[in-house]
Every structure is written in structure tokens, then in C-alpha cells.
Amino acid sequence: MLELAVFHNGAADLPLTTTHEGVVVNDGDLEEVHESGRRIIANQVRQGVLADQLGFNYWFMTEHHFQPEGAELSPAPLQTETAIAALTSRIRLGQMANILPWWHPIRVAESAAMLDVMSGGRLEFGVGRGYQPREAEVLGGAMGATIQDQERNRSYFEEAYEIIMKAWTEPSFSYHGEFYRVPPSYTKWNHKQTIAYFEQERTKHPVDDVLNLGPPDMYSMGSPVLASTTTLREISVIPQPAQKPHPQVWQPVTSPRSIGWAAERGVNCFTVPEPTSRLVGNVERYYADAEAAGWPDRLDRGPFKFGWDSEKKRGYGCCRYIHLLDPDNPDADMERFKLGLELQWDYYGPFGFAAVLADADEDPYPLDMRVTADLLIDKQVAIVGTPDQVVEQIMAVKDGVGYEDFLFATWFEIGGYSHEEVEHQMRWFAADCMPQLADACGGMVVNPPANAVAPEIAAAAAGD
């Protein structure tokens, strides 16, 4: 069976230019960049709604900030997807990813649970560590989540993940770790209403678990809540997600260490473009690690199909740039598409991502190598051509990896293209490629309808 996703990264719609150093950038001043950013945010909602209408199964967004260069912009995927949720009924809403070291984990837990509740249980929760110091040090540095110390960043990420899982699955909880103590040990809370609530037998949660009750504090001049030695032991994060025990979790991965971490926790993996020969090795590693860990799964459903399991929604998704060439002017369209690819990779390349483009039997590429559009197309990381050619190359990914079921993410938006042009690509792909792919995969999953908002909200809006 086939499932299709749309991956959206927020590339700018401004014209592109190549500088005298040979670097592709936005061709606009900063005010024009800000105007483009406002359009991008609105267009992400438009295209998410269109993806639902066209029958795509998933909508995935990244989280990226502060970028005048033009490659990507997606500062609040959960917020954007809440807007999409209110206007759709079927498409599942994921993030690749929420960068946990940039946020307080309780805030992430609340915001993601809000999306799950308001979408009628359509959240696919993505987690990541981040890699760009301009984002990481501005947003996470004050909390100690620096990316400039990889081990510290990883420890912070894992602690944040544990807190989110506890917030989602325990009615009342505490956490004492290296970076966070939830709640802080010094939090005074001599609140008579809290004491009265937990003293009730029906709460099934003793007040002594929630509060460390103590005598008045003779040194305090504050309210009764503060003029006490009574401190808080636990908190309840409300709301918890609609999906139980929690939504499916995803992680974008490149390294064996990250793949192993995900496999051991029942987390789905997702790979942004890399050659198929590398992808097959990573999928094999994920399945070996999952088997060794006893097939962890949020619903304890045991082993799942190789590559992807459409019934259990478990496994390893993959992604490719997709572009259908204008039949009236294919050469010019190809050159424009290449320029858009090079805008993105002139941004990504300096972070060392050239290394992941090497095939499994090649030596890693130099970290400072400039990635060209021709290389991306040659590696079939970017799939471009007629509908038939695009279908053939997508199926080559499925067959090359050995996917049983197939979850494939299409990446249509690219720098320099307007939202009308991106939406044209989406519609064209849905009309001419989606049916062929469904036939080749033995059918395509149709998401069941859900209330666009939680049933209680829908009933209130209807006056019931």
C-alpha cells in the first residue's frame, strides 16, 4: 500500500540571483524578504489545505528561523498546522521536527497536545536536536542547549523528550534531571483549593504526592500561598493528547546513533534526501535495532513490515524533491529548478550535508564541497521530468530499499517559485502521478475523516 506526504520547508518566493562568488541567494532587500516571509506563512496554510483536498495522507513541516538568505522559513509548525487543522478533515499533521532544545519541554507538550485535540487526533509528533548555531544559540543557549557542544545538546534533547512523554502519559508527575527539575523544589504552593481537591478520595491521587505540606513560614510577608513552607511536588499538564497513550513520534535522522535511539523508543524515522543506497542501509539498521529492542511500539503491536507498515503507521519514511517539467519550455524550466536547488544547497552545504550525498560504496564527500543541482539530480535526490519519468524514479526508491508498504514524501516548494506555481505542481502530481503510484503499490491509503476540530468544539460551534 502507498501513503504520500507533502514536505514543506518554507523556501522564499523571491527571484534568485547568483553573486560574483557563485553563491545563489534571494534577490531582494530585507524589507522584501520580510514581505516574502509573510506570504510564505500564509501559503503554508493554503498548501496544507490543498494537500488534504488532493488526498495526500500527511503534511510535514520543518522548524527554522531567522533566514534572509531564502532557503527555508518555518518558525512555528505547530501553530501553522493548527490553522490547517481547522480547515481540513483527513490529512495528518507532522513536524520534521519540533526542535526540542529550543523550547521549554512543557510548552512543547502543551502546544502539541492542543493541536492533537483540536484536529481530532491527527498529530504526528516530530522531534529533533537542531544543527544551526544561529538558531540554537539564540533560542536554546539561555537554557543550556548549545549545539556547539553536541553531547550536551543530545543530553538536553533526551531529557526534554522524557519530560514530554511523562507530561502526556501521567496524570500528575515530577521530573528531576540535569537540565530541568519539574516542578522546582522551591516552588511554594500552600493553596487551599489544591489541598481540598487532592484530599478528596475520588481524585485517587494523595495530596502528599502533590504537595510537601509544611508549617507557616515565619519569614514570609506574602499571601497564604507563599507564607508557608509547603512546596509543590508534582504538576498536571492539561490538556493531554487525544491519541492514547500518546501520538506517534518521529525523528529526522542521518546518523546510526540517532537511528538506534529512535528504534529503541518506538519512534518512526524520516530521511530528508539522501541516495537510495544509503537509505537502504539506514532502513536495515533501524529494523535490526528495533528487533533487538523487542519491537518497541506505542501500542505494543509487535513487529512491523520492512520499510513501512501502513496498517500500524510504523517504520521509516523517505523524501525527495519533486518537479514536473513544463512541457512547453522544459529546458528553461530545468535551469530555473536547478537554481532553486542550488539556493537551498548553498545554504545546507556549509553545515556538512554533502557527506550524506555519497553513495554507500563511496568515500564520504568533503564537508566543504559545493553541492550542485546536477549532483542532486544524478543521485535522484531531486526527481525531475515528465509524470511517467517521475513515477519511474519514485518506484526505483521503493524497489531499491525493499519497502513492503511505502511512505513517500514529496517536496514541491523550492526557492524562486510562487505559491501558484507550487500548487500547480501539487495538482499535476496528484492528477498524473498519484494514480500510477497507487496502482504500482497495490492501492493507496485513504485517511478516514476526522472532525476538523475536537468533537466538543464542533458540537458547540453547531449549537448542539
Side-chain angles (χ1 to χ4, degrees), residues 370-418:
R370 182 172 188 265
V371 176
T372 66
D374 287 330
L375 176 64
L376 297 169
I377 293 170
D378 180 63
K379 296 286 186 177
Q380 296 187 345
V381 164
I383 295 177
V384 57
T386 66
D388 288 347
Q389 290 169 335
V390 166
V391 167
E392 180 181 0
Q393 291 182 64
I394 291 173
M395 290 305 300
V397 177
K398 178 183 186 296
D399 296 339
V401 174
Y403 276 97
E404 293 185 65
D405 294 332
F406 193 30
L407 173 58
F408 183 82
T410 53
W411 189 346
F412 296 109
E413 49 90 18
I414 196 97
Y417 285 83
S418 69

Side-chain angles (χ1 to χ4, degrees), residues 249-267:
V249 182
W250 296 72
Q251 185 183 22
V253 296
T254 56
S255 72
R257 186 173 177 184
S258 293
I259 292 169
W261 183 90
E264 291 164 6
R265 288 161 179 80
V267 172

Side-chain angles (χ1 to χ4, degrees), residues 69-292:
E69 301 88 355
E72 54 193 10
L73 176 68
S74 186
L78 291 170
Q79 187 172 353
T80 301
E81 290 178 354
T82 300
I84 295 170
L87 299 168
T88 58
S89 61
R90 294 179 183 268
I91 197 162
R92 300 194 64 80
L93 301 161
Q95 310 83 44
M96 292 298 166
N98 298 290
I99 308 304
L100 300 190
W102 300 349
W103 304 91
H104 193 292
I106 298 298
R107 278 294 197 190
V108 177
E110 288 179 333
S111 297
M114 290 278 288
L115 172 55
D116 198 48
V117 169
M118 289 193 286
S119 68
R122 289 186 281 145
L123 171 67
E124 301 286 323
F125 183 65
V127 298
R129 297 198 300 117
Y131 65 91
Q132 300 182 23
R134 181 170 62 186
E135 299 171 318
E137 306 311 316
V138 170
L139 295 171
M143 297 185 289
T146 175
I147 196 64
Q148 295 171 179
D149 181 339
Q150 285 284 327
E151 291 306 315
R152 183 183 181 91
N153 177 272
R154 188 180 294 276
S155 293
Y156 187 104
F157 165 82
E158 293 179 359
E159 186 167 306
Y161 173 82
E162 291 176 13
I163 292 170
I164 292 168
M165 290 298 106
K166 288 176 75 70
W168 281 355
T169 59
E170 298 180 20
S172 182
F173 80 99
S174 64
Y175 183 89
H176 304 146
E178 181 177 358
F179 298 96
Y180 285 103
R181 184 181 178 105
V182 181
S185 61
Y186 52 82
T187 305
K188 291 188 175 183
W189 195 257
N190 186 43
H191 202 299
K192 64 180 182 180
Q193 192 174 56
T194 304
I195 295 169
Y197 176 77
F198 282 102
E199 282 181 339
Q200 297 180 105
E201 185 175 342
R202 66 178 299 173
T203 64
K204 302 177 182 179
H205 205 80
V207 67
D208 289 340
D209 287 353
V210 177
L211 296 171
N212 181 22
L213 297 169
D217 182 357
M218 63 180 290
Y219 298 106
S220 175
M221 299 295 292
S223 70
V225 173
L226 295 172
S228 171
T229 58
T230 295
T231 53
L232 192 63
R233 282 178 166 168
E234 293 183 347
I235 61 169
S236 297
V237 173
I238 303 169
Q240 291 182 329
Q243 298 177 81
K244 299 300 179 185
H246 57 76
Q248 180 60 50
V249 182
W250 296 72
Q251 185 183 22
V253 296
T254 56
S255 72
R257 186 173 177 184
S258 293
I259 292 169
W261 183 90
E264 291 164 6
R265 288 161 179 80
V267 172
N268 286 347
C269 285
F270 185 90
T271 294
V272 177
E274 67 181 18
T276 301
S277 64
R278 287 178 57 89
L279 177 61
V280 64
N282 286 340
V283 175
E284 289 172 348
R285 180 177 292 111
Y286 178 72
Y287 276 78
D289 290 346
E291 182 178 19

